[in-house]
Amino acid sequence: MADSQLLTDVRALVGREYGRVYAWDEVNAPMIRQWCEIMGVDNPLYTDAAFAANSAQDGLVAPPAMLQVWCMEGFHLNNYAPGSTTENPYEVLKLIESYGYPSVVAVNSELTFNRNLRPGEKLYYTTRLDSVGDEKTTGLGTGFFVTLVMNYFVEHKSGDEAVGELLFRVFKFRPTQNHSAEAAPAKVESAPAVKRPKPGMSDDTRFFWEGCDAGKLLIQRCTQCQTLRHPPAPVCIECHSFDWDSVQASGRASLYSFVIMHYPEVAPFDHPNPIGLIELEEGVRLVAGLVGVKREELNIGQPLQLEFQTFDGELTLPMFRPVIA
């Protein structure tokens, strides 16, 4: 049962509003174009001014899914735009952790859009601790579901306008441990080793994972127009044909982009955990782990080489290692 003082302290925080976090820049066409390029979005409403001017939108708009992007801190941790609050909206997680609930896992995130954003608009968001649920026991362990809501606004001289909302929910928990009921305290059984989660497999993706098991990186190819595509899909994005085969990638690649996962620390992954957006020599991109490199050694565009690693004796994944000149 949860500590009564913990419940008192947590409930005192529910409903608290945290200050503004400002965007570094106005909504702008270059960022929209780069985001669309990276995400593979090809909608002229976002990038073609002439097309957008003659549409129902009457001009360029930003992709709705970019809402969170505008107010992000940037490349360096906690490097928020001038004027942003220094309050920590995640203080409730630290509070719960101090009572012996050390682990966290993201549960879900929901974006709500009131309207499209347009170039030239300047955003900020505020954060509200929406709720902390009662103590729950799940397969992961015992803890609390914590929900935060970020409300996004566009600044106007006549009064700021709410344009969207991000709901973010996590589970802050104490991991389940297996204890022998009859054993003395000195003989507490250790928890089983956590295995890497297996990817979802369907008829569309089975060839890819079977290829990994065989030490081959297979890329789907349309047999009608020869277009390569990844992730695998049932229909060609160019000619809409359902006919396809696969080709084996050479394994030569370059680093198109990357992130370093610091928090939360999720077993069994190493931390910090570098994850790359890999551009294969053949022209398609995929997300994969980076090995044999430190954060300060990563550079956009650096050459990489494929290698396969097997985890838990059953899961083979494509990983990429920097090529040493």
Side-chain angles (χ1 to χ4, degrees):
M1 181 178 292
D3 186 288
S4 60
Q5 187 59 50
L6 167 61
L7 297 178
T8 298
D9 293 344
V10 164
R11 287 166 181 160
L13 291 175
V14 172
R16 177 173 176 179
E17 296 268 359
Y18 296 85
R20 297 181 179 187
V21 174
Y22 288 95
W24 276 100
D25 303 287
E26 296 177 344
V27 176
N28 63 86
M31 285 183 66
I32 292 173
R33 177 180 55 78
Q34 291 168 14
W35 187 91
C36 288
E37 180 182 351
I38 291 171
M39 301 301 293
V41 175
D42 185 17
N43 187 331
L45 281 175
Y46 307 145
T47 57
D48 187 332
F51 178 92
N54 294 309
S55 73
Q57 297 298 327
D58 195 29
L60 288 174
V61 295
M66 283 189 75
L67 178 65
Q68 187 182 7
V69 171
W70 301 109
C71 295
M72 284 184 169
E73 59 205 281
F75 189 71
H76 300 290
L77 185 66
N78 294 324
N79 183 34
Y80 292 104
S84 297
T85 181
T86 58
E87 297 175 301
N88 178 13
Y90 301 101
E91 64 175 326
V92 67
L93 301 183
K94 292 294 184 183
L95 174 60
I96 296 173
E97 186 171 318
S98 70
Y99 280 84
Y101 300 81
S103 300
V104 65
V105 62
V107 178
N108 66 297
S109 178
E110 300 174 9
L111 278 169
T112 302
F113 315 107
N114 297 351
R115 67 164 175 82
N116 288 318
L117 300 176
R118 295 183 178 277
E121 295 183 319
K122 190 73 177 290
L123 275 73
Y124 68 85
Y125 72 85
T126 60
T127 303
R128 182 182 76 255
L129 177 56
D130 187 70
S131 65
V132 178
D134 295 332
E135 188 180 54
K136 301 288 185 181
T137 298
T138 73
L140 290 173
T142 299
F144 303 87
F145 287 94
V146 178
T147 303
L148 295 131
V149 174
M150 290 76 165
N151 289 292
Y152 286 79
F153 299 86
V154 165
E155 294 182 295
H156 294 298
K157 291 181 179 179
S158 59
D160 298 344
E161 177 189 5
V163 292
E165 177 185 282
L166 168 64
L167 180 149
F168 183 59
R169 183 175 291 117
V170 299
F171 184 50
K172 189 67 173 167
F173 64 100
R174 180 188 296 123
T176 299
Q177 292 184 342
N178 293 330
H179 296 275
S180 172
E182 304 297 328
K187 297 183 179 180
V188 173
E189 294 182 2
S190 59
V194 179
K195 294 184 177 181
R196 286 216 175 200
K198 292 183 178 180
M201 186 181 298
S202 67
D203 289 341
D204 294 324
T205 63
R206 184 170 287 105
F207 81 95
F208 179 84
W209 297 113
E210 289 178 348
C212 290
D213 289 339
K216 299 177 181 179
L217 184 60
L218 300 180
I219 304 300
Q220 197 174 41
R221 178 178 62 183
C222 174
T223 56
Q224 296 299 313
C225 68
Q226 306 302 301
T227 297
L228 299 178
R229 61 182 185 261
H230 189 85
V235 63
C236 177
I237 59 176
E238 294 295 335
C239 72
H240 302 159
S241 170
F242 286 87
D243 299 325
W244 62 272
D245 60 8
S246 64
V247 295
Q248 183 176 350
S250 68
R252 293 183 292 273
S254 61
L255 185 59
Y256 189 85
S257 186
F258 67 91
V259 296
I260 307 294
M261 187 70 179
H262 292 274
Y263 187 85
E265 295 187 0
V266 179
F269 299 96
D270 296 329
H271 290 85
N273 182 22
I275 303 167
L277 179 58
I278 313 300
E279 185 160 68
L280 299 178
E281 183 180 60
E282 290 74 16
V284 297
R285 300 173 191 151
L286 74 161
V287 175
L290 298 169
V291 295
V293 65
K294 297 179 180 178
R295 161 64 188 87
E296 57 272 17
E297 298 171 344
L298 288 171
N299 294 290
I300 301 299
Q302 71 186 119
L304 305 172
Q305 181 61 47
L306 168 70
E307 67 177 56
F308 288 97
Q309 292 188 8
T310 300
F311 300 91
D312 310 315
E314 57 182 0
L315 175 62
T316 301
L317 297 176
M319 313 288 279
F320 286 83
R321 182 183 297 272
V323 174
I324 299 176

